[in-house]
Amino acid sequence: MLGLGIVKGLIETARNFLGSYVDKNRLVTVQFPEERLPVAEAARNFPFLIYDGVDPEQGLRCVACQICEKECPPRCITIEKSKDKKPDFVGKSQFYPAVFDIDVSVCMSCQICVEVCPFDAIRMDNEFELSTTDRFGGLLWTKEKLARPNEHYLAIHPTEAAEVEARRAEEKAQAEAKKQQAAVTQ
Amino acid sequence: MSQVAEDIMEISMGPQHPSTHGVFRMDVRLEGERVLRLKPVFGYLHRNHEKIAENASYLAAIPYTDRLDYLCSMTNNWGYALAVEKLAGLAVPERAEYIRVIVAELTRLQNHAGMVGFLLQDMGASGTPLMYAFTQREKVLDLFEELSGARMMCNYMRFGGVRVDCSPEWLRQTAALVAAFGGFLDEFEQLLTGNEILMARTQGVGVLPQELAINAGVTGPGLRASGVNYDLRKVDRYGIYERFQFRVPLGEHGDVFDRYMMRVLEMRESVKILEQALRDIPSGPVMDPKAKVRGLRPKVGEAYARIESPKGELGFYLISDGTPNPYRYRVRPPSLINLTVLEDMCLGQNIADVVVILGSIDIVMGEVDR
Amino acid sequence: MLDGIAVDQVFVSLKHWVLGYSPAAIEPAVSILLTILPILLVFPVLFALTTVLERKGLGRIQNRYGPNRVGFFGILQPMADALKSLTKEDIVPASADRTVHFLAPLVLLAVAFLPYAVLPIGRNMIAANLDAGVLFFFAIGAISELSVFMAGWSSRNKYSLLGAMRAVAQMISYEVPLLLSSIAVIMAAGSLNTVDIVNKQAGFSGIFPHWYVLTPWGFAGFVLFMISATAETNRSPFDLPEGESEIIAGYYIEYSGFKFALFFLGEYLGMFAISGLGITLFLGGWGAPLSFLTWIPSWIWFFAKLLGLIIGFIWVRGTLPRLRMDQLMNFAWKFMLPMALVIVVSAGAWRFLPQGVTRWLISTLFLAVAYGLLARGVETRNKIAKRTYRFAE
């Protein structure tokens, strides 16, 4: 009968209209910024550098190997190696980055830098309310802006961080054991 | 206004238009309301994707493939990963294959829901079917965010598997979504499929004859709506699709209504595939142990791999010369090839139908222009 | 009971009271002013409320909130919209015909207010009790089509010209079923006077009123009237002239700022006026729907029914896609016009057959047969057919 399809459609919209007052599934708006959805653990936005301890300069894990700079698809990372070295968490002497810039307006949040870093030094943050009114440098983040303590990493990506901690603790234990062995055989 | 006297009007449905699915221009010559000639003009979104991929490593091209058909990033990644795996001879573990099928079918669900929503929006149903479709699409995107970290630009497939494993919690959530999707489709169809106005606007409009579809290289739901039984998941049997029981819907008339129904029926088939995949997924590793994360140097050679993306046949052609960068990288974009028959479908139709026909082809300008 | 009548006639009493205090010389002028001022105030406020109601209603249909930031539940949103449209730059295209471009919204507005003069909003509450009230209404209503064409032509824009021509063709085609369905009512009531038509529907048999919508021909006539009304006021699903996604905004594409708001005001006022006429002709005007509810004042019933029709308009807008131009015209001339003629015949049968089951049956039979045949015609012409699909394994 002509018109029956239209009537069925009208019934469907009426069901949604009335349902929106009683059923949460039929009113899906989350009124940002008063209400916020919980951010997924794996959510990624822009990278940050991890430092252990309290001093961002001393504890920075990055050894300026420049692998992330090479692998970054839009080439948004700029690294300059330092001239001197400092010891890392197992005691080995490593370079550190004198300059580590990420142009966040170019970064496409692809996370390849995180995947290829052999030193667990760079990870993805999930902060997204980052707009700035400074056109000329506001989105070019330097090492100071990028450095965050390890606690931050543990807070935002707990399961991933737990694995990384376990692995680093093991490596540190192995290095300690080797040092003990070397000291004993001396 | 002498043009009114002659009754022939040239209209440019310009790059800024609410219904052209991106920056796309159509120069339409009208006589009254009938279309005499239609010239599609695109290229407004050209971003040098192929050149960039030729100057970057194989790994670095994956995030760029996300942005080709930006609504279906998972299937784009899969096509490219298949091509490189063919080139480099990498094998994919079982669990990774199942995960690939699951995310690909989820992508198909959200793409088809979005397409139907946008088609109705272009027809003037002021946003209601679009909002219903997007409610479901948001759930799928939330799943993608939990799995890969990003909602749309997932960057998830790697050569030899997938980047990260999914948790049992994620599989549970996916199963819940799939179980509820059938009910959503029933409600959606009640609103739309029997609607006389929708039928009057789409039946008999924009007919694509079978001969022309095959000769022009049209693939995907548009080809199947014209009655050709060609679904790459059945023809090529790539991945592990031969393990799943699903049917391929076929249309008869090749008009807009058939193309719309293809999407709806394919959504139902995808739900079936998802149920089977979620039931049978084994445990195990998700990356080929031989594969390295970076520094892939495939042997000299060429490979062409194609998948049934929600828009059609998405193909990647790679020529490797032994260096870390491909020598030639070419994408076969389904939206562009499907778009070439737009003029043939629109000749003699009303201008109001042009937008509807364009919506039924389902194009994304990121793919057309690359 | 006295209280009920007092509340019902409160505005009439107020007017007489003020007139009592005015000097005899200017009494006619004051009387006119007091009659038209409420119309000029109430219906634009209703327009403002309707815009919020529409956006919130559409929002809830689409599983989202409507506007809810400005004032409680978004009730002050029209103020924000008014401020916005007042402060926008008034752009007139360089090659446009400036006078006509300026006059089009004004003509629309002037013509939009006139039909309210013949609508009985309550008992004894009608601005101009014309003997040919319905005729006056339709005559004035047709002038609004002129302003649409003025807007489209003066803008010197292909899109707006297309939109204007479509709009005028649509409006003229849908005048015919509109008039024919109201002719059935005029025949049954025997008068063109709106007050008479309402009074004819004022009785009750048991608890059910004598509204014309509760007869078979009245129901069909009402449906046809409302479909034509939707087409007359360019509302979805007949809003192709303002087809947002195809030719952007059609005939008012070159209007910005306050003139755009005036077009909206004119369109909505037209919607209220035609709904008001529909209520007068079919839904018993200001009469109560059930005999034990007559204590509620008459003007409240009028506005309640108006609100119901507005909700109907919003509901239909949220659900249906729009019809294409030729389908729209075919529908008017090949379905609605013959149907309206059959409704007139059916109304005649109803009027001249004695009361009882027979006249119900005969009336309904005429309508059902006509509907069946015409619906078949519509389906074959638009190739509407249920399809089944085959699957390959």
Side-chain angles (χ1 to χ4, degrees), chain A residues 116-133:
Chain A
V116 299
C117 176
F119 297 94
D120 305 309
I122 187 169
R123 283 289 185 264
M124 295 306 272
D125 205 349
N126 56 13
E127 179 76 34
F128 53 86
E129 295 177 49
L130 295 166
S131 50
T132 167
T133 49

Side-chain angles (χ1 to χ4, degrees), chain A residues 1-3 6 9-11 13-14 16-17 20-21 24-35, chain C residues 56-65 68-69 315-316 318-320 331 335 371 374-375 378-379 384:
Chain A
M1 200 184 84
L2 189 74
I6 294 181
L10 286 172
I11 294 176
T13 21
N16 270 288
F17 178 81
S20 76
Y21 287 101
K24 205 68 190 73
N25 286 332
R26 297 205 191 261
L27 186 65
V28 294
T29 317
V30 172
Q31 302 206 68
F32 194 87
E34 288 95 23
E35 309 168 14
Chain C
K56 290 200 78 69
L58 280 180
R60 288 275 169 171
I61 288 178
Q62 295 167 4
N63 297 344
R64 57 182 175 90
Y65 295 104
N68 63 356
R69 299 269 161 180
W315 189 11
V316 165
T319 312
L320 299 176
F331 189 63
F335 179 84
Y371 179 70
L374 290 170
V378 167
E379 281 172 8
I384 298 176

Side-chain angles (χ1 to χ4, degrees), chain C residues 15-64:
Chain C
K15 175 178 164 185
H16 286 311
W17 182 76
V18 174
L19 273 182
Y21 279 102
S22 57
I26 60 167
E27 205 169 294
V30 173
S31 169
I32 293 174
L33 210 66
L34 285 175
T35 314
I36 62 176
L37 220 60
I39 296 180
L40 289 178
L41 290 176
V42 165
F43 284 99
V45 168
L46 192 62
F47 158 71
L49 276 174
T50 306
T51 49
V52 186
L53 206 67
E54 170 155 36
R55 288 168 70 172
K56 290 200 78 69
L58 280 180
R60 288 275 169 171
I61 288 178
Q62 295 167 4
N63 297 344
R64 57 182 175 90

Side-chain angles (χ1 to χ4, degrees), chain A residues 81-153:
Chain A
K81 258 183 158 100
S82 64
K83 297 286 186 283
D84 56 325
K85 295 196 181 190
K86 66 168 177 62
D88 69 357
F89 75 112
V90 290
K92 195 163 154 205
S93 210
Q94 304 272 21
F95 287 110
Y96 61 90
V99 169
F100 195 112
D101 289 342
I102 295 188
D103 188 349
V104 162
S105 61
V106 174
C107 171
M108 50 159 141
S109 313
C110 67
Q111 207 192 32
I112 285 184
C113 54
V114 169
E115 269 176 71
V116 299
C117 176
F119 297 94
D120 305 309
I122 187 169
R123 283 289 185 264
M124 295 306 272
D125 205 349
N126 56 13
E127 179 76 34
F128 53 86
E129 295 177 49
L130 295 166
S131 50
T132 167
T133 49
D134 174 14
R135 278 164 70 190
F136 296 107
L139 290 175
L140 179 69
W141 291 355
T142 57
K143 190 173 54 162
E144 288 75 34
K145 183 125 198 263
L146 286 169
R148 296 247 195 296
N150 196 20
E151 286 73 45
H152 179 73
Y153 180 44

